[in-house]
Amino acid sequence: MLIDSLPILSLSLLGPLALFALVSSITPGPNNVMLASSGLTFGFRRTIPHMLGVTIGFSFMILLVGLGLGALFSQAPWLYTALKYGGAVYLLYLAWKIARSGPMEDGSQRAHPLTFMQAALFQWVNPKAWVMTVGVVATYTPQQGFLGNLWIAALVCGVVNLPSISIWVSFGMALRRVLHRPGAVRAFNLSMALLLVASLYPIALELLPQ
């Protein structure tokens, strides 16, 4: 009965929404770079809370933005600016942590993968997550039956996101068979850290004089 009460348009958008979520989730970005490094350094099982934090945190972000947080930022743009630049600083800190990560044996003794809460909160300072969230709410959430459509959009994105990002963790784990030497592992993590820094280029462009 719930499906019958939903706007038909929302059902017609399920396919395009799922495709958008797949492409956005599986392509390189801060989350996937960190997950690949975590898979290499800590293994799949220890990275599961990180993955769940990304997926659930992102879905929750869609709900909150759709329910009015975006309007708050419109009324107080300084909040969004502070969040954006604060997030950039935090992302640089994470890149530094990744660059200093060693082999799995060292990582298990000296460091820990991101926790569920850390990964969930990171979505609020992740530029790519903001782009995805705005795209989902603005493009794939019809105004007729908005609340129901918003829940559907958040659910679809969560269902698609988790297996997509797990591929990056598996990719990192697969590299453990190739990168046997500690120096090779550190070189990979340094490369991931540099990619993470490179993902900040939109913010860097904003700081350049026009």
Side-chain angles (χ1 to χ4, degrees):
M1 294 299 102
L2 176 62
I3 296 296
D4 293 338
S5 65
L6 291 175
I8 296 177
L9 182 59
S10 68
L11 299 180
S12 69
L13 286 175
L14 282 179
L17 171 60
L19 182 60
F20 173 83
L22 174 63
V23 173
S24 300
S25 298
I26 208 168
T27 49
N31 280 323
N32 290 334
V33 167
M34 291 191 296
L35 286 168
S37 179
S38 184
L40 173 68
T41 307
F42 303 107
F44 194 94
R45 184 180 62 82
R46 294 185 66 192
T47 306
I48 289 177
H50 186 168
M51 289 190 293
L52 292 176
V54 169
T55 296
I56 296 176
F58 174 58
S59 298
F60 190 61
M61 183 179 179
I62 292 174
L63 289 174
L64 287 185
V65 170
L67 290 173
L69 194 57
L72 175 62
F73 286 144
S74 297
Q75 295 177 359
W78 64 269
L79 279 176
Y80 178 73
T81 301
L83 187 64
K84 179 171 61 176
Y85 289 111
V89 172
Y90 182 61
L91 204 125
L92 290 174
Y93 166 74
L94 290 176
W96 177 74
K97 295 282 286 185
I98 290 174
R100 296 183 69 246
S101 298
M104 185 175 179
E105 292 77 12
D106 293 338
S108 62
Q109 298 171 4
R110 299 184 309 178
H112 302 280
L114 248 62
T115 65
F116 171 88
M117 188 58 65
Q118 287 173 327
L121 292 176
F122 174 70
Q123 305 317 302
W124 293 94
V125 297
N126 179 1
K128 183 180 178 183
W130 274 104
V131 171
M132 292 170 64
T133 299
V134 171
V136 168
V137 174
T139 308
Y140 300 101
T141 311
Q143 292 301 306
Q144 182 185 2
F146 178 78
L147 187 58
N149 287 319
L150 184 64
W151 279 96
I152 292 174
L155 179 62
V156 169
C157 287
V159 169
V160 173
N161 180 263
L162 186 58
S164 299
I165 62 176
S166 69
I167 293 175
W168 284 82
V169 182
S170 301
F171 169 68
M173 283 191 61
L175 288 177
R176 287 166 54 190
R177 303 174 185 174
V178 179
L179 305 178
H180 298 294
R181 294 176 300 172
V185 174
R186 291 191 176 91
F188 173 79
N189 283 333
L190 178 60
S191 300
M192 294 295 100
L194 291 175
L195 283 175
L196 202 56
V197 173
S199 70
L200 291 172
Y201 78 91
I203 295 178
L205 289 178
E206 291 180 8
L207 296 175
L208 293 176
Q210 301 297 320

